[in-house]
Amino acid sequence: MYQYDLIVIGSGPAGRRAAIQAAKLEKKVLVVEQGRRVGGVSVHTGTIPSKTLRETALNLTGWRERGFYGRSYRVKQDISADDLRRRLLITLDHEVEVLEHQFARNRVQQMRGRAHFIDPHTLEIEKSDGETLRVTTASVLLAVGTRPYRPAHIPFDGDAILDSDELLEIKQVPRSLIVVGAGVIGIEYATIFSALDTQVTVVEPRDTMLDFIDKEIVQDFAYQLRDRNMKLIFGQTVETVVREDGTGKCRVTLKSGRALQAEMVLFAAGRVGATDTLNLSAAGLEADSRGRLKVDPETFQTAVPHIYAAGDVVGFPSLASTSMEQGRIAARHAVGAPASEPPQYFPYGIYAVPEISTCGLTEEEVIQRGIPYETGIAHFRETSRGHIMGLDTGLLKMIFSLKTRRLLGVHIVGEGATELVHIGQAVLNLKGTVEYFVENTFNYPTLAEAYKIAGLDAWNRMGEGPKEAPVATAQSTDAATASVEPLPVAEPKKKAASN
């Protein structure tokens, strides 16, 4: 009846995972990507580029070794924009090559072009070569992602007044930078450029930043940023941004009347769903004011049952990792295959300098739910590995229920936080207790040992938990008087030959 079982619009994390999942279920799948290469925002302007830029900056500046050799230590004295871009291009080429191979191996059809709805089951595709064709499909997955929000009163010029996509194309590293917006993207880039010794000022209209992160972690993070002379201005709204003719510098005026000046301005105050070209009304759909689509959180169905949406276009948490899982679940539902529910707890990573990662409930959420709790904290400087690495900062916090002794949340700020969080994630999802961290052995010396320190910190205040009573069985009755024979020792099995 239809040419395809599933058409996926967009080849970012959600789109590519959905397409490959449906193809593995032997469905006919088409991916439509309007960019020049597959990968979407994640590969070309978002996740991979920003994390590559971060790693390059930390390596070339010698940031991780400054604890030993002093703040003046550098691996490369003069770091240019070309130095940053060189590693970025190598990484992007590799990512695209891997994706192209995955699509080819799983027989996923691809098409370059822009798609829009004609009716709920028909799409018109304007191909990159100028040809236009119509295709029909049983189901559709919208994984179009987002683009930077660009308000009319900000005079973007692609040179000194930029959005987060344009920042990757800068011609030189600025000596000073004003970042408008203290969300994840703004904070990541602000701290990366601070590590490059750029004088950074962050302006945020709200009184706080990163409100979904545990407040104690945010306070420690903010302290570290201010300690290295970053300016954080909260509760202030940008009135105007002007590039001065004489000096070429940018002047940012706040509604309070305060004026700021810098060589470059990054506007990173939000993103909008890239849904405006889809002709959603023809399919019976409507996006919100920020271009996002509302979906069922378990199936990722939109208001039209055979049309699904996943990834950043559905809003929070807007992570590549969760987008992949959303795409996989949506694809299984779309082709009629059984699907598991989305995981209850997933890790959230913020690749700032330093990193932040969290999983589970924050202390504020625990209090709101009225759960009696205790916390355990470990500083990275308390670990031998922290000393070896020259770490003066870094904090791991765990929250435990006093009633069940179960882990409720793990929150980390510091070097390697996005890697370390997975230990806490596993214990959290497996309903582990504080005893896991107290009674188990961790490699020494490692930063992971901070889990044991934090576990002991909580255990010292919680006290020893009740021991489980042995379960009575027929065989254990009158065990004191019954004669017990030793169990026979089993013959060792021969090792099976590997295939």
Side-chain angles (χ1 to χ4, degrees):
M1 182 177 176
Y2 300 109
Q3 293 171 262
Y4 294 95
D5 297 303
L6 177 66
I7 290 181
V8 178
I9 304 179
S11 62
R16 70 172 181 257
R17 182 62 63 88
I20 291 171
Q21 173 65 92
K24 287 182 181 295
L25 294 170
E26 300 183 354
K27 302 300 180 180
K28 190 175 182 181
V29 183
L30 171 67
V31 173
V32 183
E33 171 57 58
Q34 69 175 11
R36 289 174 295 175
R37 307 170 80 186
V38 297
V41 169
S42 172
V43 169
H44 298 289
T45 59
T47 304
I48 300 301
S50 61
K51 282 52 176 177
T52 304
L53 180 65
R54 177 186 186 275
E55 196 64 24
T56 307
L58 295 182
N59 286 342
L60 293 181
T61 60
W63 177 269
R64 294 186 175 98
E65 283 73 44
R66 290 184 184 179
F68 280 115
Y69 305 122
R71 293 191 176 187
S72 63
Y73 176 74
R74 299 288 185 280
V75 172
K76 190 176 191 298
Q77 289 300 321
D78 298 314
I79 301 171
S80 68
D82 287 337
D83 292 327
L84 302 176
R85 195 175 296 109
R86 189 176 300 116
R87 181 166 178 168
L88 176 61
L89 294 175
I90 294 171
T91 304
L92 298 192
D93 285 342
H94 171 74
E95 287 291 316
V96 170
E97 183 181 351
V98 169
L99 293 181
E100 294 278 10
H101 177 64
Q102 286 180 336
F103 281 161
R105 188 177 69 234
N106 289 283
R107 294 176 175 80
V108 173
Q109 295 184 36
Q110 299 179 59
M111 194 174 293
R112 299 287 184 277
R114 180 172 292 180
H116 63 267
F117 285 100
I118 300 298
D119 63 50
H121 286 278
T122 307
L123 292 163
E124 185 171 85
I125 303 171
E126 301 169 19
K127 296 178 65 177
S128 55
D129 60 6
E131 180 187 357
T132 299
L133 73 157
R134 291 189 177 186
V135 290
T136 60
T137 181
S139 298
V140 180
L141 174 66
L142 303 176
V144 293
T146 58
R147 61 173 179 269
Y149 172 56
R150 293 169 62 103
H153 72 284
I154 303 296
F156 295 97
D157 61 9
D159 183 34
I161 304 173
L162 312 166
D163 64 30
S164 57
D165 287 359
E166 295 169 330
L167 189 67
L168 299 170
E169 302 296 330
I170 58 173
K171 298 179 179 63
Q172 61 184 16
V173 178
R175 296 180 64 183
S176 55
L177 173 69
I178 296 171
V179 178
V180 181
V184 173
I185 295 171
I187 284 295
E188 285 185 351
Y189 280 125
T191 57
I192 289 169
F193 276 89
S194 174
L196 288 165
D197 293 320
T198 297
Q199 177 60 56
V200 177
T201 301
V202 178
V203 180
E204 169 57 50
R206 296 173 300 173
D207 294 327
T208 56
M209 64 176 175
L210 307 175
D211 291 333
F212 59 94
I213 301 295
D214 188 275
K215 190 175 293 183
E216 189 171 5
I217 296 297
V218 175
Q219 288 172 347
D220 186 274
F221 178 70
Y223 173 81
Q224 292 189 49
L225 301 192
R226 289 192 170 104
D227 187 54
R228 66 191 208 223
N229 206 30
M230 276 183 63
K231 291 183 181 177
L232 303 176
I233 302 173
F234 295 114
Q236 299 270 10
T237 304
V238 172
E239 181 87 352
T240 61
V241 179
V242 178
R243 190 174 185 186
E244 298 176 345
D245 294 331
T247 63
K249 288 190 175 182
C250 301
R251 185 179 182 85
V252 176
T253 305
L254 308 182
K255 282 191 175 180
S256 64
R258 183 175 181 179
L260 309 170
Q261 194 177 60
E263 287 185 6
M264 190 174 288
V265 173
L266 167 63
F267 188 89
R271 296 179 69 86
V272 295
T275 53
D276 53 327
T277 62
L278 294 175
N279 192 24
L280 292 174
S281 59
L285 291 173
E286 184 179 359
D288 68 11
S289 60
R290 280 293 182 108
R292 294 168 298 199
L293 294 168
K294 187 176 181 180
V295 295
D296 182 312
E298 293 186 1
T299 64
F300 300 99
Q301 282 177 297
T302 65
V304 180
H306 72 278
I307 301 177
Y308 297 75
D312 289 5
V313 75
V314 304
F316 187 85
S318 297
L319 297 168
S321 56
T322 55
S323 295
M324 290 180 190
E325 187 62 12
Q326 289 172 2
R328 187 188 70 81
I329 293 171
R332 293 188 68 88
H333 281 288
V335 300
S340 58
E341 292 183 4
Q344 182 180 5
Y345 298 114
F346 57 85
Y348 202 113
I350 299 175
Y351 290 83
V353 182
E355 293 178 5
I356 298 175
S357 200
T358 178
C359 188
L361 301 178
T362 65
E363 187 169 353
E364 291 70 42
E365 288 172 329
V366 171
I367 293 171
Q368 188 178 21
R369 297 186 185 195
I371 302 172
Y373 72 97
E374 186 55 81
T375 65
I377 289 177
H379 296 275
F380 286 0
R381 64 176 179 267
E382 296 177 287
T383 68
S384 296
R385 183 59 180 268
H387 280 291
I388 292 169
M389 296 171 67
L391 299 180
D392 294 323
T393 59
L395 172 72
L396 185 149
K397 172 181 179 179
M398 290 191 290
I399 305 170
F400 298 95
S401 165
L402 283 175
K403 182 178 180 181
T404 64
R405 304 179 71 83
R406 279 174 49 184
L407 177 65
L408 301 175
V410 56
H411 312 281
I412 312 172
V413 56
E415 181 69 25
T418 55
E419 298 286 350
L420 287 170
V421 74
H422 296 110
I423 298 173
Q425 177 196 7
V427 176
L428 188 68
N429 281 312
L430 293 171
K431 300 178 175 57
T433 66
V434 64
E435 277 72 26
Y436 172 86
F437 301 101
V438 173
E439 296 171 0
N440 275 278
T441 303
F442 291 81
N443 271 340
Y444 176 87
T446 61
L447 291 181
E449 190 190 1
Y451 274 104
K452 193 174 190 72
I453 297 171
L456 285 166
D457 182 43
W459 188 86
N460 287 337
R461 287 188 294 274
M462 294 169 69
E464 190 163 344
K467 297 296 183 182
E468 293 185 4
V471 179
T473 64
Q475 291 180 341
S476 64
T477 304
D478 297 328
T481 57
S483 60
V484 181
E485 294 184 4
L487 294 174
V489 178
E491 288 285 337
K493 293 184 179 179
K494 293 183 178 179
K495 187 176 180 180
S498 58
N499 293 325

